Amino acid sequence: MQPFTTLTSTPAPLKVINVDTDMIIPKQYLKTIKRTGLGTALFSEMRYKEDGSENPDFVLNQPAYRKSEILVAGDNFGCGSSREHAPWALLDFGIRCVISTSFADIFYNNCFKNGILPIVVSQEDLDKLFDDADRGANATLTVDLVNQSIKGPDGGEIRFEIDPFRKHCLLNGLDDIGLTMEKSTKIDAYEEKLKGRAWA
């Protein structure tokens, strides 16, 4: 998993509340178990018209936000069914950080397991971030996980809280497999010890 330390990007404003996982990645794309290739399907029902052409009104289709790595979104982001394809699609598109006032628990946990930083802020701070994001390519945010801060284009700073263990995992690029491999020396020693036991 790619470590997350600091990230500077033009933030994309998605001013929609209750964005569920079916909006993030519709059910017809859930057949794959690969984590790649889902970026083109991200928000597909909003990004594309019925004829398959791009909807120019959707934020991620607008020139200023096509390469955004930070998504600023409305309350209760990631609600609905517990599909891990949702963070897969965000990450494959290039989104490494989602900022909102609240997240659904399962989606929130899945973000950390896939190298995405979900940040919870107050409504007042979210409104400021929406204002920054509305400025398009003229404004960038810098998310600093080490210092737990978001720096705006005008020098303002927003602080955020994060669980220390989750912070450690993101900073070091550790998913569940990576955490297990950190103990590989102890695992190898235990397996070596078992070889001397006939019943093992």
Side-chain angles (χ1 to χ4, degrees):
M1 191 170 78
Q2 183 181 351
F4 189 113
T5 52
T6 60
L7 175 65
T8 299
S9 172
T10 300
L14 185 63
K15 298 179 181 180
V16 182
I17 63 170
N18 301 321
V19 172
D20 64 31
T21 51
D22 192 55
M23 292 170 69
I24 298 170
I25 183 74
K27 59 187 179 301
Q28 61 266 32
Y29 299 102
L30 304 185
K31 297 173 184 175
T32 182
I33 57 171
K34 294 180 180 178
R35 299 185 184 203
T36 57
L38 292 171
T40 56
L42 179 69
F43 297 119
S44 67
E45 293 180 356
M46 292 187 280
R47 275 173 72 193
Y48 305 110
K49 298 179 180 179
E50 288 185 13
D51 64 2
S53 63
E54 287 188 351
N55 172 10
D57 295 329
F58 186 66
V59 61
L60 294 179
N61 290 336
Q62 295 168 13
Y65 306 112
R66 282 186 178 272
K67 298 192 178 196
S68 291
E69 296 178 76
I70 300 171
L71 186 66
V72 182
D75 189 55
N76 196 29
F77 190 85
C79 58
S81 63
S82 57
R83 58 188 71 171
E84 196 168 6
H85 291 67
W88 291 356
L90 286 163
L91 190 62
D92 194 59
F93 180 85
I95 302 292
R96 294 290 319 276
C97 177
V98 183
I99 305 171
S100 181
T101 50
S102 70
F103 294 90
D105 287 344
I106 294 175
F107 174 83
Y108 185 78
N109 292 331
N110 281 338
C111 280
F112 287 103
K113 292 181 179 182
N114 289 281
I116 296 173
L117 173 60
I119 298 176
V120 177
V121 297
S122 67
Q123 185 62 55
E124 181 183 0
D125 286 338
L126 188 72
D127 291 339
K128 291 176 186 174
L129 293 170
F130 273 138
D131 287 342
D132 289 335
D134 283 339
R135 293 158 62 181
N138 295 320
T140 59
L141 296 180
T142 296
V143 177
D144 182 344
L145 179 55
V146 175
N147 295 303
Q148 297 176 211
S149 69
I150 305 167
K151 292 181 181 175
D154 299 322
E157 184 175 84
I158 294 170
R159 306 283 298 178
F160 62 88
E161 296 299 319
I162 184 172
D163 174 78
F165 175 71
R166 286 173 165 157
K167 178 178 179 179
H168 167 79
C169 290
L170 276 180
L171 286 173
N172 293 282
L174 297 172
D175 56 12
D176 289 345
I177 294 172
L179 283 167
T180 301
M181 295 310 295
E182 277 196 318
K183 298 177 174 60
S184 61
T185 303
K186 291 182 179 179
I187 293 170
D188 291 343
Y190 178 74
E191 289 180 345
E192 193 63 33
K193 187 166 65 174
L194 284 182
K195 288 180 182 178
R197 300 181 185 180
W199 52 265

